[in-house]
Amino acid sequence: MNNFIYQNPTKIIFGEGQIERLSKEIPADSKILMLYGGGSIKKNGVYDQTTEALKSHQIIEFGGVPANPEYEILMEAVEVVKKENIEFILAVGGGSVIDGAKFISAASKYDGDTWEMVKTRAKIDDAIPFGTVLTLPATGSEMNSGFVVSRRETKEKLSMGSPLLFPQFSILDPNVINSIPERQVVNGIVDAFNHVLEQYMTYPIGADLQDRFAESILSTLMNDAPKVLENREDYAAKANFMWSCTMALNGLISQGVPTDWAVHAMGHELTALYGIDHARTLAIIGIPHYKHNFEAKKEKLAQYAERVWGITEGSLEDKAKQAIDKTEEFYHSLGVKTKLSEYAENIEKTAETIEQRFTDRGWSGIGENQIVTPQDARMIVEMSY
Amino acid sequence: MNNFIYQNPTKIIFGEGQIERLSKEIPADSKILMLYGGGSIKKNGVYDQTTEALKSHQIIEFGGVPANPEYEILMEAVEVVKKENIEFILAVGGGSVIDGAKFISAASKYDGDTWEMVKTRAKIDDAIPFGTVLTLPATGSEMNSGFVVSRRETKEKLSMGSPLLFPQFSILDPNVINSIPERQVVNGIVDAFNHVLEQYMTYPIGADLQDRFAESILSTLMNDAPKVLENREDYAAKANFMWSCTMALNGLISQGVPTDWAVHAMGHELTALYGIDHARTLAIIGIPHYKHNFEAKKEKLAQYAERVWGITEGSLEDKAKQAIDKTEEFYHSLGVKTKLSEYAENIEKTAETIEQRFTDRGWSGIGENQIVTPQDARMIVEMSY
């Protein structure tokens, strides 16, 4: 096990009817910016629950944060924060809205160019406190301190983080899942599943507890998330799904272990090129990634086969191969296609384009031990066609 | 799953050589009270590492905190804190020293009688910040906000806690295990194992992730902790054991689920009556407790049998019974005896005495759903003879 430093101060308020606790979590005299997305919260009741809970607070609303939070729009919110002397930001939404709140929190207190802040991953010395009401289990942003922000103008999608950017609190009411479209629930399952795989499917380092925790989340997602799709009234399944998504990317399982994240790097390119949903790009890339890097990952693949899929027969290699197949079958069972050609046309140059982009960025190798060179990325993407 | 609120702000600094980070974690101008126990840290190098790391800080030492932290002694430390205007407490030790630091932290800022503070579990409004260097994996006190304090004068052993009593940081260097006597390593294994069981071995509530996390800790303790006994140079095993003890009682696995703690309540009495090591009382009481409450706990016992012990044959009842036997065998494999008569003589009245004590305290029932009446406690303790 590698040395690690772990701290996560976010207060999780979990369960049915917890949104009404909002008024206790934000100081009564704080002027609040309420940030949300395209307006689904006005249809599903979360907007009403939130404003009712905060009826004694002073709120300024800022809606319209798009799916990949856009810098220009977020900078409008930063202007509002400064002009109105906002003291607390409340993000009501999914990962995009929460990520947006993190950017706004840091940018509002940053002296200097805020895009440079992100590009250089500047050290954050001050940030506006913020909390979240999660409406879409998937990204884990509700309990971590990182964010992604995009800029259409320069076609960039960048990430950064800071210990000052943990939410003060996050309210997780599993019943928000009731009104989420099936496509987004499925995306949440696949996203969280791949978050775990990126922190687990590397090579053995003897970190038994982290491994078992990762396997716990995978098993729970595998068992409970489909139940959510079958029956939105299954509260236990919704709660298990929601808590699994949070635990998948709140930092716990990555402590002291190598991590991969090459699947995300390649997947991001497919979203940039074809607008494919983020989670689905992970399903497209993950399968060939594990096949291409089989030798490096086979021990963990076999462990995953045994502990998550119950595959106990055969050689280590047999088990590892079966685990990849089982993973693909799992995606298919959720209605998620795993071939790029099922999502886009004229894809012949995709692999070459991605190789070139990685080369241009000077990425000599990504993934654990930098095992994925730009040439490997090309081969993996070709296998995904 | 029940609703829950979870927050744990303690910063964990984990790994080899991490004690030298101490100087970065405590403000340079803070006057420090360095609290420790019987002096084993002077033999195993931890004292030297700690004072070396803090050579530029102003430190006042307070040694001699006993195994069950004693109120009178801790109050002497409170006097030192007040007189010397101590601004930070550093606990260097195991659970007793860390628990002591928590009491001192709260008591030093408390207006009023400090024993009443504990007895009434008073709300803590202020506390002196503190951190820890853990020297004995077992109690989890390094990452939670509760403490136990004893008072010989009144023969009381009381517990309390406060959100203000999380350590600011805890340094966990697995190599401190090298010099721990075998008896204490074994106690740590059994203590942590029972901490998990108290939060897990109740009845199914559909909290799949919490269940799997609990099983992860049990499996890791079962697999790795004995390796520590075999070979103190096995760093991976030491690290897994240490991290498992912390995760066993840092609040995570108890969120949203029923908990038991009846084994601890009965075990405490055996320590009070016969001075038996705390962990070993849990081994003595746990086995008859699960047998006596078999009907209430059999579903979880069978799940534990399957997932932790790999018992897949037989009826639910068969598996549940085998799980109890496997648990007892595990304790025996560690050299831990599980019968009260193996620890003490003239034990005939023990069960009656404990029944009477519970009755006198007005405890009509303890454990999940208050299933253990004073009469049940008598029967369980009788079974332990």
Side-chain angles (χ1 to χ4, degrees):
Chain A
M1 196 189 304
N2 300 326
N3 284 3
F4 66 83
I5 296 180
Y6 175 67
Q7 183 172 35
N8 190 324
T10 298
K11 180 178 186 177
I12 296 293
I13 303 163
F14 193 101
E16 293 185 280
Q18 295 279 40
I19 294 175
E20 67 184 40
R21 282 189 57 96
L22 264 175
S23 63
K24 293 181 195 158
E25 300 300 329
I26 307 175
D29 54 356
S30 285
K31 200 171 176 183
I32 302 169
L33 184 78
M34 178 176 160
L35 196 72
Y36 54 91
S40 63
I41 62 167
K42 292 197 176 166
K43 290 177 203 136
N44 63 19
V46 173
Y47 176 89
D48 290 340
Q49 286 174 271
T50 302
T51 50
E52 171 65 22
L54 294 174
K55 63 187 173 194
S56 303
H57 284 71
Q58 199 185 342
I59 300 179
I60 292 176
E61 293 184 27
F62 190 99
V65 176
N68 283 302
E70 167 61 34
Y71 174 71
E72 306 295 342
I73 294 171
L74 298 177
M75 282 307 293
E76 289 173 29
V78 169
E79 287 313 307
V80 175
V81 166
K82 289 180 175 175
K83 191 176 148 210
E84 300 286 347
N85 295 313
I86 294 293
E87 296 161 293
F88 196 94
I89 301 168
L90 180 66
V92 184
S96 298
V97 174
I98 297 171
D99 278 19
K102 291 175 183 175
F103 170 82
I104 297 165
S105 165
S108 299
K109 292 284 190 180
Y110 190 74
D111 279 334
D113 184 286
T114 52
W115 191 246
E116 283 299 309
M117 173 190 88
V118 182
K119 275 191 106 155
T120 63
R121 294 184 166 172
K123 185 172 175 292
I124 300 303
D125 297 316
D126 196 7
I128 294 179
F130 67 97
T132 89
V133 176
L134 182 67
T135 61
L136 183 65
T139 74
S141 188
E142 66 277 9
M143 201 182 180
N144 66 42
S145 61
F147 67 86
V148 177
V149 60
S150 298
R151 193 171 191 182
R152 210 170 299 141
E153 191 190 330
T154 56
K155 294 204 169 87
E156 287 169 295
K157 184 172 177 175
L158 302 175
S159 64
M160 72 172 283
S162 160
L164 296 183
L165 295 178
F166 282 101
Q168 304 274 307
F169 64 81
S170 283
I171 297 183
L172 279 59
D173 180 343
N175 285 333
V176 300
I177 294 168
N178 296 356
S179 60
I180 301 173
E182 176 156 322
R183 174 189 175 122
Q184 289 196 299
V185 175
V186 167
N187 285 350
I189 299 168
V190 176
D191 197 23
F193 202 85
N194 275 278
H195 286 161
V196 178
L197 289 178
E198 295 274 36
Q199 301 166 86
Y200 166 79
M201 198 55 75
T202 56
Y203 53 87
I205 193 175
D208 291 2
L209 189 59
Q210 290 89 324
D211 276 3
R212 290 182 191 279
F213 278 0
E215 292 151 1
S216 294
I217 302 171
L218 294 172
S219 295
T220 306
L221 284 169
M222 196 184 87
N223 284 305
D224 288 75
K227 292 183 198 160
V228 175
L229 293 174
E230 278 163 35
N231 176 15
R232 297 294 175 92
E233 298 303 313
D234 185 340
Y235 181 79
K238 286 185 288 187
N240 290 326
F241 166 45
M242 194 171 220
W243 192 218
S244 292
C245 290
T246 300
M247 293 301 304
L249 199 54
N250 69 352
L252 185 68
I253 61 171
S254 66
Q255 299 308 315
V257 303
T259 57
D260 183 342
W261 296 107
V263 176
H264 271 70
M266 290 179 271
H268 282 325
E269 298 302 324
L270 299 186
T271 299
L273 288 166
Y274 304 111
I276 303 169
D277 292 355
H278 168 64
R280 290 170 201 248
T281 69
L282 306 176
I284 295 167
I285 294 292
I287 303 304
H289 176 67
Y290 299 130
K291 288 181 179 169
H292 181 78
N293 296 294
F294 189 79
E295 279 304 310
K297 291 175 182 287
K298 67 185 181 187
E299 281 85 5
K300 289 298 282 284
L301 279 164
Q303 180 179 315
Y304 163 68
E306 284 181 18
R307 296 191 187 166
V308 177
W309 295 107
I311 299 165
T312 52
E313 302 288 309
S315 67
L316 184 142
E317 282 77 8
D318 287 342
K319 286 186 275 191
K321 280 177 191 161
Q322 286 183 62
I324 299 174
D325 293 341
K326 283 282 184 191
T327 307
E328 188 165 21
E329 285 166 26
F330 174 55
Y331 297 150
H332 290 165
S333 77
L334 299 170
V336 172
K337 294 166 182 165
T338 51
K339 288 292 178 186
L340 180 57
S341 53
E342 296 174 294
Y343 291 90
E345 293 177 356
N346 305 319
I347 56 175
E348 296 75 20
K349 302 270 186 192
T350 314
E352 243 172 76
T353 303
I354 291 175
E355 178 185 7
Q356 191 59 49
R357 286 186 176 188
F358 284 11
T359 304
D360 292 347
R361 283 180 210 148
W363 290 3
S364 56
I366 56 175
E368 78 276 10
N369 290 337
Q370 291 74 53
I371 56 174
V372 180
T373 65
Q375 294 73 39
D376 289 307
R378 189 193 67 228
M379 289 186 265
I380 292 165
V381 176
E382 267 170 5
M383 288 166 74
S384 82
Y385 287 179
Chain B
M1 197 189 300
N2 299 327
N3 284 3
F4 66 83
I5 295 180
Y6 175 67
Q7 183 172 33
N8 191 322
T10 298
K11 180 179 187 177
I12 296 293
I13 302 164
F14 192 100
E16 293 184 279
Q18 295 279 38
I19 294 174
E20 67 184 41
R21 283 190 58 95
L22 264 175
S23 63
K24 295 181 193 158
E25 301 299 330
I26 307 175
D29 54 356
S30 285
K31 199 170 178 183
I32 302 170
L33 184 79
M34 179 176 160
L35 197 72
Y36 54 92
S40 62
I41 62 166
K42 292 197 177 167
K43 290 177 204 138
N44 62 20
V46 173
Y47 176 88
D48 291 339
Q49 286 173 269
T50 302
T51 50
E52 171 64 21
L54 293 174
K55 63 187 174 195
S56 302
H57 285 71
Q58 199 186 342
I59 301 179
I60 292 176
E61 294 185 26
F62 190 100
V65 176
N68 282 303
E70 168 61 35
Y71 174 72
E72 306 295 343
I73 294 172
L74 298 177
M75 282 307 292
E76 289 172 28
V78 169
E79 288 313 306
V80 176
V81 166
K82 288 181 176 174
K83 190 177 149 213
E84 301 287 345
N85 294 313
I86 294 291
E87 295 161 294
F88 195 94
I89 300 167
L90 180 66
V92 184
S96 297
V97 174
I98 298 171
D99 278 19
K102 291 175 184 176
F103 170 81
I104 297 165
S105 165
S108 299
K109 294 283 190 180
Y110 190 75
D111 279 334
D113 185 286
T114 52
W115 191 246
E116 282 299 308
M117 173 189 89
V118 183
K119 274 192 109 154
T120 62
R121 296 187 166 172
K123 185 173 172 294
I124 300 302
D125 296 316
D126 196 5
I128 293 179
F130 68 97
T132 89
V133 176
L134 183 65
T135 61
L136 184 65
T139 73
S141 188
E142 66 278 9
M143 201 183 180
N144 67 43
S145 61
F147 67 86
V148 177
V149 59
S150 297
R151 193 172 191 180
R152 209 169 300 141
E153 188 191 332
T154 57
K155 295 206 170 85
E156 286 168 296
K157 182 173 178 175
L158 301 175
S159 64
M160 72 172 285
S162 159
L164 296 183
L165 295 178
F166 282 100
Q168 304 273 308
F169 64 81
S170 284
I171 296 182
L172 279 60
D173 181 343
N175 286 333
V176 300
I177 295 169
N178 297 357
S179 59
I180 302 172
E182 174 155 325
R183 175 188 174 121
Q184 288 194 301
V185 175
V186 167
N187 285 350
I189 299 168
V190 176
D191 197 23
F193 202 86
N194 275 278
H195 286 161
V196 178
L197 289 176
E198 295 274 37
Q199 301 165 87
Y200 166 80
M201 198 55 75
T202 56
Y203 53 86
I205 194 175
D208 290 2
L209 189 59
Q210 290 88 325
D211 276 3
R212 289 183 191 277
F213 278 179
E215 292 151 3
S216 295
I217 302 172
L218 295 171
S219 295
T220 305
L221 285 169
M222 196 184 87
N223 284 302
D224 288 77
K227 292 183 199 163
V228 176
L229 293 175
E230 279 163 36
N231 176 14
R232 296 295 174 94
E233 298 302 313
D234 186 339
Y235 181 78
K238 287 186 288 188
N240 290 326
F241 167 45
M242 193 172 221
W243 192 218
S244 291
C245 290
T246 301
M247 293 301 304
L249 199 55
N250 70 352
L252 185 68
I253 61 171
S254 66
Q255 299 307 315
V257 303
T259 56
D260 183 341
W261 296 109
V263 175
H264 271 69
M266 290 179 272
H268 282 324
E269 299 302 324
L270 298 186
T271 299
L273 289 166
Y274 303 111
I276 303 169
D277 292 354
H278 168 63
R280 290 169 199 248
T281 69
L282 306 176
I284 296 167
I285 294 294
I287 304 303
H289 176 67
Y290 300 130
K291 288 180 180 169
H292 181 80
N293 296 293
F294 189 79
E295 280 304 309
K297 292 176 182 287
K298 65 184 181 186
E299 281 85 4
K300 288 300 281 286
L301 280 164
Q303 180 180 316
Y304 163 68
E306 286 181 17
R307 296 191 186 167
V308 177
W309 296 106
I311 300 165
T312 53
E313 302 287 308
S315 67
L316 184 141
E317 282 77 7
D318 287 341
K319 287 185 275 192
K321 280 178 191 159
Q322 286 183 63
I324 298 173
D325 293 341
K326 283 281 183 190
T327 306
E328 188 164 22
E329 285 167 26
F330 175 55
Y331 298 149
H332 290 167
S333 76
L334 299 170
V336 172
K337 295 167 181 166
T338 51
K339 288 291 179 189
L340 181 57
S341 52
E342 297 173 292
Y343 292 89
E345 293 178 355
N346 305 319
I347 57 176
E348 298 73 22
K349 301 266 185 196
T350 314
E352 242 173 77
T353 304
I354 291 175
E355 177 185 9
Q356 192 58 49
R357 286 185 176 189
F358 284 10
T359 305
D360 292 347
R361 286 181 208 149
W363 289 2
S364 56
I366 56 176
E368 78 275 12
N369 291 336
Q370 291 76 53
I371 58 174
V372 179
T373 65
Q375 294 73 40
D376 289 305
R378 189 192 68 228
M379 289 187 264
I380 291 165
V381 176
E382 268 171 6
M383 288 166 75
S384 83
Y385 289 175

